[in-house]
Amino acid sequence: SGVERLGDMIAEAKTIVPFTGAGLSTECGIPDFRSPGGIWTRYRPIPFDEFVASQEARDESWRRRFAMEEVFAAAKPGRGHRALASLYRAGKVPAVITQNIDNLHQASGLAPEHVVELHGNTTYARCIGCGQIFSLDWVKQRFDADGAAPNCTSCDEPVKTATISFGQMMPEDEMQRATALSQACDLFIAIGSSLVVWPAAGFPMMAKNAGARLVIVNREPTEQDDIADLVIRNDIGETLGPFVEN
Ligand code: OAD
Ligand code: ZN
């Protein structure tokens, strides 16, 4: 079966780099983007330039974030996160590359420096001018007091969740680290991503071109199934559950 083949490939691999998407966290109660009921089936994305230009866009963006707070606050690592954390503890996974913003890899026991967050992190906020960090609680208090999304206390530029929006620059350091990891592994496992958003979606191919085996675990077909050595079109928790240790 697919799980057995994956087990063999994991056993044979020296360096495994997991690359994760929103499908990893659906069993934790966090919706993905493109499945039925996903975020982009309910909301139009707010591009970065709109966020910068419009107070109304910033207010709407923060209202959406606050509406999700209970879901993010309650979410615990799922079987997929725990399986990857087991492989990390076993010394097979140097780091995880993730498109996810939910902090669940860190919550499953990975050190922060071993989670490469290509699209940032939604559990705190950052000034888009000077980079100062703010807590979501601080933003919420200011939003409730002023009835509007706050600006930075240092430089007066807008404060945004520490995530990457469409049209926003990718984080340079994370892109470099993801490149190095993709090129230095012998097994690359893409998990729970439709693989349609670039440049993130370029890493599976980069790993493959550098000589790694490529496995894709996703319940729907992805854009890149045709270049994979193994495609497991099944539930992530069921597929990775057998690799959870403890
Ligand atoms: P998508 O929503 O595009 O894809 C998630 C994939 O996971 C879908 O193909 C689902 O079929 C699959 N899936 C969901 N739950 C699953 C489960 N339990 N078992 C197996 N498969 C499951 O999410 P991403 O590919 O992560 O970026 O989206 C990429 C980027 O698009 C996000 O990082 C975000 C979004 O716009 C930005 O906002 C910049
Ligand atoms: Zn600032």
Side-chain angles (χ1 to χ4, degrees):
S1 74
V3 176
E4 276 167 21
R5 270 206 71 199
L6 177 58
D8 291 343
M9 289 166 98
I10 287 173
E12 286 160 23
K14 263 228 207 60
T15 308
I16 304 169
V17 171
F19 170 89
T20 62
L24 184 66
S25 298
T26 54
E27 83 168 19
C28 314
I30 301 170
D32 66 9
F33 293 93
R34 295 174 182 82
S35 292
I39 300 286
W40 297 151
T41 70
R42 286 188 273 159
Y43 294 123
R44 183 187 65 86
I46 299 171
F48 185 65
D49 59 348
E50 241 181 83
F51 185 95
V52 173
S54 151
Q55 179 72 45
E56 208 176 307
R58 294 195 286 280
D59 294 350
E60 170 62 14
S61 168
W62 276 110
R63 274 192 295 271
R64 290 180 187 179
R65 178 61 187 84
F66 297 143
M68 289 290 290
E69 181 51 18
E70 282 188 37
V71 164
F72 280 119
K76 300 221 171 3
R79 287 171 291 177
H81 297 98
R82 292 167 54 214
L84 299 181
S86 298
L87 295 172
Y88 167 77
R89 283 194 301 271
K92 285 219 163 196
V93 166
V96 169
I97 305 172
T98 190
Q99 302 167 87
N100 296 345
I101 57 177
D102 53 29
N103 212 52
L104 288 179
H105 287 299
Q106 293 91 328
S108 75
L110 271 74
E113 64 269 25
H114 298 147
V115 184
V116 179
E117 294 178 314
L118 294 175
H119 294 163
N121 188 306
T122 195
T123 64
Y124 58 94
R126 198 202 305 269
C127 167
I128 64 172
C130 72
Q132 186 170 324
I133 302 289
F134 295 90
S135 72
L136 296 191
D137 283 346
W138 178 85
V139 177
K140 180 78 165 69
Q141 273 176 19
R142 291 293 311 272
F143 192 101
D144 288 346
D146 304 343
N151 285 359
C152 178
T153 50
S154 300
C155 75
D156 205 36
E157 293 293 315
V159 173
K160 184 177 171 292
T161 55
T163 56
I164 305 299
S165 299
F166 289 116
Q168 189 171 0
M169 284 254 287
M170 291 294 284
E172 218 170 287
D173 181 58
E174 279 76 1
M175 287 298 289
Q176 276 176 20
R177 289 161 64 210
T179 300
L181 285 162
S182 300
Q183 291 177 339
C185 63
D186 50 16
L187 179 60
F188 187 101
I189 315 179
I191 303 161
S193 177
S194 57
L195 302 178
V196 297
V197 173
W198 293 73
F203 290 109
M205 171 89 74
M206 187 185 289
K208 176 87 188 150
N209 287 343
R213 285 169 155 178
L214 173 61
V215 177
I216 295 178
V217 182
N218 204 66
R219 76 181 163 213
E220 297 295 323
T222 81
E223 294 271 300
Q224 302 187 35
D225 289 356
D226 54 337
I227 64 161
D229 297 283
L230 172 65
V231 176
I232 302 180
R233 205 165 283 166
N234 202 346
D235 181 72
I236 292 161
E238 239 176 78
T239 305
L240 297 184
F243 302 100
V244 175
E245 272 171 18
N246 78 33

